[in-house]
Amino acid sequence: MLTILGFAMIATFLVLIMMKKMSPIAALVLIPALFCVAVGQGAKLGDYVIEGVGTLAPTAAMLMFAIVYFGVMIDVGLFDPIVRAILRFCKADPMRIVIGTALLAAVVSLDGDGSTTFMITVSAMYPLYKRLKMSLVVMTGVAATANGVMNTLPWGGPTARAATALKVDAADIFVPMIPALAVGLLAVILLACVLGRRERERLGTLTLDEVLVGEPGTVLAGAGGDRLTKSGATPTRTGGTGDVRGAEAGTRDAGGSEPAAEEEEFQGLDPHRPTLRPRLYWFNAGLTVALLTAMIMELMPIPVLFLLGAALALTVNFPHMPDQRARVAAHADNVLNVSGMVFAAAVFTGVLTGTGMVDHMADWLVGAIPDAMGPHMALVTGLLSVPLTYFMSNDGFYFGVLPVLAEAGASHGVSSLEIARASITGQPLHMSSPLVPAVFVLVGMAKVEFGDHTRFTVKWAALTSLVVLGSGILFGII
């Protein structure tokens, strides 16, 4: 009974947000509360929620201060050179822009944290997509999938969890998987080419005519003499069949933005903004490198690192109290949206775990595996990792399900290392799960409805996961 209710709760949540019948926060809170009452455990709802909040509170704290930190870094101009380099590569070609999104997300993902990856990627690419009227779900989908492939780094989380759960070395899991993961990354770049070509056919290639200064929703960093047309001017196009109005509508439909939202200011890359601190550029770069290095080396808990980093960045770059308050207020909207989503997700995960639904779902799935599949348990693990890491937290899958799968595989001569390697192939889809707080940073900053992102991304991310799994089998790694 709990198995059926568990799947029903997840399905109800996904259907309602994809049909836009409820907001993600409301759905994350109300649906599990109703199902908790339905299983006869309504009296324990408070305990489940408090336990879930306690589990996710460090994540919420990390996201809050990470948003403030990287928001300040964007304000002071740390990432402006990256944007200029991207502009030189992209040259207002939609296909190049989508490829640039994939490459930027993959490179920044080396820090092992999805939230920082999405903040940097969206900050750099969002103005380009808005100004060229490209589909914003293309940006979020490609960024999330690229980050999912890179999330398998030993310091990214899943590989370390698999190593801990099965008592094997993380390097023995990750290093042999590098060829398969490289193929997965190539698949993401190929996907970016396909999606970018679609955008090019829809919009055409725009010529960047003149500099924009202070215009909302535009990229304001020049690149190699190319410039964007002013808001209200008619862009020059070469090829393509879509007009400006059609492209605008397509972006609005895909991204869920309203016309008023398109006129919101995006001052992050204005080369004349008063928050720029060019004299402190190397200090800010050094602070960011030191922060990311400390994260990778796990010198301190990540929430503490970002708390200290945000406080130091604010104090050095904006020594006057009014300026500090203004910077915090400027990023308060993102902080509130993301932290609110994390605590709402705590209700969902708390009920899913506390009622025993997740355990019953895992036991049912493992029990449904035919005995004849025992010698192929690595393949089974890889296939199961795709949906299970989407519907469950990584902790639930790696510490709850993976040991059972490894034990079943061991009885048929399948090594724990093969099981562990197969288990990380579902990460490209996992990064778009509603149980991953970082995805709400992505859709929030990109102003994309979570339902739109899910509907667009799931099929491509699942396909990428299968490519990684197939490559691992083909290379004899799994």
Side-chain angles (χ1 to χ4, degrees):
M1 184 65 177
L2 284 175
T3 301
I4 296 173
L5 288 173
F7 282 115
M9 184 174 84
I10 293 171
T12 302
F13 167 76
L14 290 174
V15 168
L16 287 176
I17 62 169
M18 289 174 69
M19 294 179 65
K20 300 183 182 179
K21 299 298 183 183
M22 294 182 73
S23 69
I25 287 183
L28 284 168
V29 173
L30 295 179
I31 291 172
L34 290 174
F35 274 85
C36 186
V37 173
V39 300
Q41 300 187 38
K44 297 181 180 179
L45 176 62
D47 295 334
Y48 296 154
V49 172
I50 293 300
E51 184 177 350
V53 168
T55 302
L56 291 181
T59 301
M62 183 272 290
L63 291 175
M64 288 172 62
F65 290 104
I67 290 171
V68 172
Y69 178 83
F70 282 103
V72 169
M73 291 297 109
I74 292 163
D75 292 338
V76 300
L78 179 63
F79 302 112
D80 286 20
I82 296 175
V83 177
R84 295 189 187 100
I86 292 172
L87 280 169
R88 292 188 186 100
F89 169 77
C90 295
K91 296 182 180 177
D93 179 357
M95 188 173 79
R96 288 191 174 203
I97 290 172
V98 180
I99 294 172
T101 302
L103 294 174
L104 178 61
V107 171
V108 181
S109 294
L110 290 171
D111 74 338
D113 181 67
S115 301
T116 57
T117 297
F118 295 148
M119 280 186 277
I120 293 172
T121 302
V122 174
S123 298
M125 304 306 296
Y126 176 86
L128 269 176
Y129 279 78
K130 291 293 286 184
R131 182 58 201 149
L132 303 186
K133 306 192 185 304
M134 295 173 61
S135 173
L136 293 171
V137 289
V138 170
M139 176 179 68
T140 61
V142 169
T145 307
N147 178 251
V149 174
M150 299 298 291
N151 194 45
T152 54
L153 292 166
W155 54 88
T159 301
R161 287 180 175 91
T164 302
L166 301 185
K167 297 179 175 59
V168 296
D169 190 89
D172 292 335
I173 299 173
F174 175 74
V175 174
M177 281 294 290
I178 289 176
L181 295 171
V183 173
L185 196 56
L186 287 175
V188 175
I189 295 172
L190 179 61
L191 171 63
C193 290
V194 172
L195 297 176
R197 186 177 292 275
R198 288 185 184 178
E199 288 295 283
R200 178 195 281 172
E201 291 173 353
R202 183 172 70 87
L203 299 171
T205 301
L206 280 68
T207 302
L208 302 176
D209 297 312
E210 49 189 308
V211 179
L212 282 174
V213 178
E215 297 279 355
T218 56
V219 176
L220 303 175
D226 294 335
R227 301 291 185 264
L228 288 172
T229 56
K230 286 186 178 179
S231 178
T234 302
T236 305
R237 300 173 182 273
T238 58
T241 57
D243 60 19
V244 174
R245 288 174 297 176
E248 203 167 351
T251 302
R252 185 168 59 251
D253 291 340
S257 305
E258 295 298 326
E262 293 188 353
E263 296 302 319
E264 290 177 353
E265 276 195 341
F266 188 92
Q267 295 289 348
L269 301 176
D270 179 354
H272 304 295
R273 59 192 183 274
T275 58
L276 283 176
R277 297 293 185 269
R279 294 182 180 178
L280 293 172
Y281 182 85
W282 291 111
F283 167 80
N284 290 316
L287 178 62
T288 302
V289 170
L291 181 62
L292 297 179
T293 302
M295 285 172 52
I296 293 171
M297 297 179 65
E298 299 181 354
L299 298 181
M300 297 179 71
I302 293 178
V304 177
L305 288 173
F306 274 116
L307 192 155
L308 294 173
L312 186 58
L314 278 170
T315 302
V316 174
N317 288 283
F318 303 98
H320 302 295
M321 281 294 296
D323 294 335
Q324 291 182 17
R325 283 196 295 267
R327 289 303 90 213
V328 173
H331 304 291
D333 187 37
N334 279 333
V335 169
L336 180 60
N337 286 336
V338 173
S339 59
M341 203 76 71
V342 171
F343 286 120
V347 181
F348 195 94
T349 56
V351 169
L352 199 62
T353 303
T355 58
M357 289 181 188
V358 69
D359 293 330
H360 281 75
M361 292 163 62
D363 292 342
W364 177 81
L365 285 167
V366 173
I369 301 172
D371 292 336
M373 293 299 294
H376 309 287
M377 192 56 67
L379 171 62
V380 172
T381 300
L383 292 174
L384 287 178
S385 73
V386 178
L388 289 186
T389 55
Y390 183 81
F391 294 126
M392 301 169 61
S393 67
N394 271 341
D395 286 338
F397 175 74
Y398 286 104
F399 296 122
V401 178
L402 189 59
V404 178
L405 294 172
E407 186 176 346
S411 64
H412 291 85
V414 182
S415 71
S416 295
L417 276 174
E418 288 184 79
I419 298 291
R421 291 167 190 160
S423 71
I424 64 175
T425 58
Q427 289 305 300
L429 179 59
H430 170 74
M431 286 310 299
S432 290
S433 167
L435 302 181
V436 176
V439 74
F440 297 111
V441 176
L442 175 64
V443 298
M445 292 187 67
K447 299 179 176 64
V448 168
E449 292 289 340
F450 181 75
D452 291 331
H453 170 79
T454 300
R455 189 161 48 245
F456 177 83
T457 306
V458 164
K459 56 183 179 293
W460 301 116
L463 179 61
T464 304
S465 294
L466 294 177
V467 168
V468 175
L469 176 61
S471 300
I473 294 172
L474 185 63
F475 295 149
I477 303 166
I478 297 175

